[in-house]
Amino acid sequence: MTDPKEGSKTITARRRARVYALQGLYQWLLTRESPRLIRAHLMQHPEYRKADETHFMGLLEGVSQSSTDLETLFAPCLDRKVDELSPVERAVLLLSTYELLHHLEIPYRVVINEAVELTKSFGGTDGYKFVNGVLDKLALSVRAVEVQASSSRDG
C-alpha cells in the first residue's frame, strides 16, 4: 500500500487497518512468525500512522489466536478444503469472519464489502467473487438477525 488514495476516495483509517492486518495475516499464514514481530515490521511502514492502530492490533492478535475456530466456522461455506485456499483468500476470510463475530458495531454488509475490496486489491482475478459468496453464506448463520432485518427492509 503505497498510495493513500484509492481511486478518488481517501482510504479511511479503518480500511488501512484492515490492509495492514491482511498483510500481517498473510505473513503469519506463510511463516507462523510471532504476531508481535509481524506487527513491529508493519509499524515501520510510512503510512502505518494513518491506520486505526487499535483495530489493526485487535484483528492481527484476535485472528492469530482464534484461527482454528474461525476456519471451523467458514469451512462449511467453502467449495474446497481450507488448506486449498490461496493465502490471500484465507487471510481475508479469517479477518472478515473475526469481524463478523467480534465487531457487531460494523454492519455485516460493510464487513463483506471490505473483504471484497481487499480481495480485489490483493487477490487473484476472481477471488473476490468467491470471498463474497462465502461471506454471504456465513453471514446467514453468524449474523442471522441482522441479515433478516436487512432483507425485510430491502424487500
Side-chain angles (χ1 to χ4, degrees):
M1 175 178 37
T2 57
D3 192 317
K5 299 209 179 251
E6 191 173 274
S8 62
K9 297 185 329 187
T10 300
I11 297 176
T12 64
R14 185 61 68 94
R15 177 168 289 180
R16 197 175 300 276
R18 288 184 185 99
V19 169
Y20 283 115
L22 175 62
Q23 291 172 346
L25 291 169
Y26 178 88
Q27 183 177 344
W28 178 76
L29 285 169
L30 294 179
T31 67
R32 293 300 174 172
E33 195 171 48
S34 157
R36 179 181 292 153
L37 290 173
I38 293 169
R39 182 177 69 234
H41 172 73
L42 290 170
M43 289 173 73
Q44 302 300 314
H45 193 279
E47 299 292 317
Y48 178 83
R49 62 181 172 73
K50 296 179 183 177
D52 178 338
E53 186 173 41
T54 302
H55 196 62
F56 160 72
M57 289 174 29
L59 291 173
L60 184 61
E61 294 291 329
V63 170
S64 63
Q65 291 172 5
S66 60
S67 63
T68 302
D69 293 337
L70 297 171
E71 289 175 347
T72 299
L73 278 172
F74 69 71
C77 304
L78 301 176
D79 61 358
R80 61 193 89 147
K81 295 177 184 176
V82 171
D83 61 356
E84 294 174 358
L85 295 172
S86 78
V88 171
E89 290 170 352
R90 191 172 183 175
V92 169
L93 289 172
L94 284 165
L95 186 153
S96 302
T97 301
Y98 185 85
E99 280 193 319
L100 285 171
L101 290 174
H102 298 286
H103 289 280
L104 300 179
E105 77 280 6
I106 303 172
Y108 83 96
R109 286 183 174 178
V110 171
V111 173
I112 293 172
N113 183 60
E114 290 293 312
V116 166
E117 293 303 318
L118 286 171
T119 310
K120 283 180 179 178
S121 295
F122 296 99
T125 304
D126 288 330
Y128 73 94
K129 294 176 186 176
F130 173 75
V131 165
N132 186 55
V134 171
L135 293 175
D136 277 342
K137 290 177 193 171
L138 182 63
L140 287 171
S141 63
V142 300
R143 294 266 191 108
V145 172
E146 184 182 354
V147 172
Q148 290 292 346
S150 179
S151 295
S152 296
R153 282 193 305 267
D154 294 345

mmCIF file of all heavy atoms in Angstrom, residues 10 50 67 117:
data_model
loop_
_atom_site.group_PDB
_atom_site.id
_atom_site.type_symbol
_atom_site.label_atom_id
_atom_site.label_comp_id
_atom_site.label_asym_id
_atom_site.label_seq_id
_atom_site.Cartn_x
_atom_site.Cartn_y
_atom_site.Cartn_z
ATOM 1 N N THR A 10 -10.333 8.802 -0.384
ATOM 2 C CA THR A 10 -9.264 8.651 0.578
ATOM 3 C C THR A 10 -9.505 7.366 1.362
ATOM 4 O O THR A 10 -10.637 7.051 1.731
ATOM 5 C CB THR A 10 -9.237 9.853 1.537
ATOM 6 O OG1 THR A 10 -9.020 11.028 0.769
ATOM 7 C CG2 THR A 10 -8.143 9.711 2.562
ATOM 8 N N LYS A 50 -1.321 6.323 9.823
ATOM 9 C CA LYS A 50 -2.648 6.739 9.363
ATOM 10 C C LYS A 50 -3.707 5.651 9.594
ATOM 11 O O LYS A 50 -4.881 5.857 9.320
ATOM 12 C CB LYS A 50 -2.615 7.099 7.883
ATOM 13 C CG LYS A 50 -1.738 8.302 7.573
ATOM 14 C CD LYS A 50 -1.726 8.576 6.086
ATOM 15 C CE LYS A 50 -0.802 9.726 5.735
ATOM 16 N NZ LYS A 50 -0.753 9.944 4.275
ATOM 17 N N SER A 67 -7.615 -18.623 14.951
ATOM 18 C CA SER A 67 -7.726 -19.016 13.542
ATOM 19 C C SER A 67 -8.407 -20.367 13.348
ATOM 20 O O SER A 67 -9.210 -20.527 12.418
ATOM 21 C CB SER A 67 -6.360 -19.002 12.867
ATOM 22 O OG SER A 67 -5.501 -19.952 13.450
ATOM 23 N N GLU A 117 -13.279 -5.746 -1.355
ATOM 24 C CA GLU A 117 -12.302 -4.741 -1.803
ATOM 25 C C GLU A 117 -10.865 -5.194 -1.537
ATOM 26 O O GLU A 117 -9.986 -5.000 -2.369
ATOM 27 C CB GLU A 117 -12.582 -3.384 -1.150
ATOM 28 C CG GLU A 117 -13.882 -2.746 -1.600
ATOM 29 C CD GLU A 117 -13.976 -2.537 -3.099
ATOM 30 O OE1 GLU A 117 -12.973 -2.105 -3.717
ATOM 31 O OE2 GLU A 117 -15.048 -2.823 -3.677
#
